[in-house]
Amino acid sequence: MRAFLALELDQTIRDAYAQLYAAGRAALPRLSWVSPENLHLTLRFLGEVDAGLEPRLFDALEREAKGLEPFLAVVGEPGAFGSRQHPRALWFGFAGGERLSRLAHAVESAVRAIGLPKETRPFRSHLTVARNRRGERVDDWLEIARGCKLSGLSQNVERVTLLSSLLQRGRSPQYSPLWRLSLIHDES
């Protein structure tokens, strides 16, 4: 199965993003826009993994995340990976400070503990909203993004979700939650 660990986003953020999704598809139709129901923050992409790893990964993440508490995260400013005119991906920052960094580290440690390879790229907290596979010019991107009122919205981060991803040619991927691990307030 193809899977990844992620933060699911609140409906308020998805609703605000839906405005950008509509405006972006109209203005930049040749980009592959992430549908509002699929918007998430990837903590760690796993790729193709054996389904038998699910319980081991849950146990490892539960151990690594012990003591991590829920925290507030805020959608940041828009940006892009790649060149300014022809970026590979369009995104919004997602700021959760030291707590988000510690959570990402716990996720990476759990993945390594079950024998999966180390992630070679540093964790960069962002919400990917579109991919530019054809190298289109996206001159209007920042203007469109700033008009959607997504930046500044916040949510409580309370759990990590293992999502499976089913790719279908010509359609949006289908994500299915396999399990959710709650960050528990430790009162001891």
Side-chain angles (χ1 to χ4, degrees):
M1 81 177 157
R2 186 173 188 266
F4 59 97
L5 289 158
L7 300 180
E8 295 175 287
L9 300 175
D10 289 348
Q11 194 61 46
T12 303
I13 292 174
R14 290 174 194 259
D15 289 346
Y17 170 67
Q19 295 173 357
L20 172 65
Y21 178 74
R25 285 181 51 135
L28 300 166
R30 293 177 56 94
L31 272 60
S32 297
W33 290 87
V34 174
S35 62
E37 64 271 10
N38 281 352
L39 190 65
H40 64 276
L41 174 95
T42 300
L43 291 167
R44 177 61 150 78
F45 180 72
L46 304 174
E48 289 292 332
V49 294
D50 185 288
L53 289 178
E54 275 183 61
R56 289 179 44 217
L57 181 56
F58 183 90
D59 292 345
L61 185 55
E62 191 173 45
R63 278 190 308 276
E64 294 294 335
K66 187 173 179 64
L68 296 181
E69 297 180 356
F71 58 92
L72 188 68
V74 179
V75 178
E77 293 299 315
F81 292 131
S83 76
R84 189 174 194 145
Q85 283 80 28
H86 305 277
R88 296 180 316 277
L90 307 179
W91 50 262
F92 277 81
F94 195 73
E98 181 61 29
R99 288 183 172 190
L100 180 56
S101 296
R102 288 194 344 243
L103 178 58
H105 179 74
V107 164
E108 182 62 27
S109 295
V111 168
R112 297 287 312 281
I114 65 166
L116 293 178
K118 179 181 180 180
E119 175 59 67
T120 57
R121 298 171 295 179
F123 177 69
R124 293 180 64 181
S125 180
H126 67 281
L127 309 175
T128 299
V129 298
R131 297 193 189 286
N132 188 8
R133 292 183 175 94
R134 297 181 180 130
E136 299 290 320
R137 284 190 67 94
V138 294
D139 298 326
D140 298 337
W141 157 238
L142 291 177
E143 183 179 328
I144 295 165
R146 290 186 178 123
C148 79
K149 299 181 176 93
L150 189 59
S151 295
L153 292 179
S154 64
Q155 82 166 54
N156 286 317
V157 173
E158 298 175 339
R159 65 182 172 268
V160 174
T161 304
L162 177 64
L163 291 165
S164 69
S165 173
L166 177 63
L167 300 179
Q168 302 171 337
R169 187 176 284 299
R171 296 177 60 193
S172 293
Q174 285 186 314
Y175 299 150
S176 300
L178 300 174
W179 51 251
R180 292 179 174 97
L181 177 72
S182 294
L183 301 178
I184 300 170
H185 181 70
D186 186 9
E187 298 194 26
S188 56

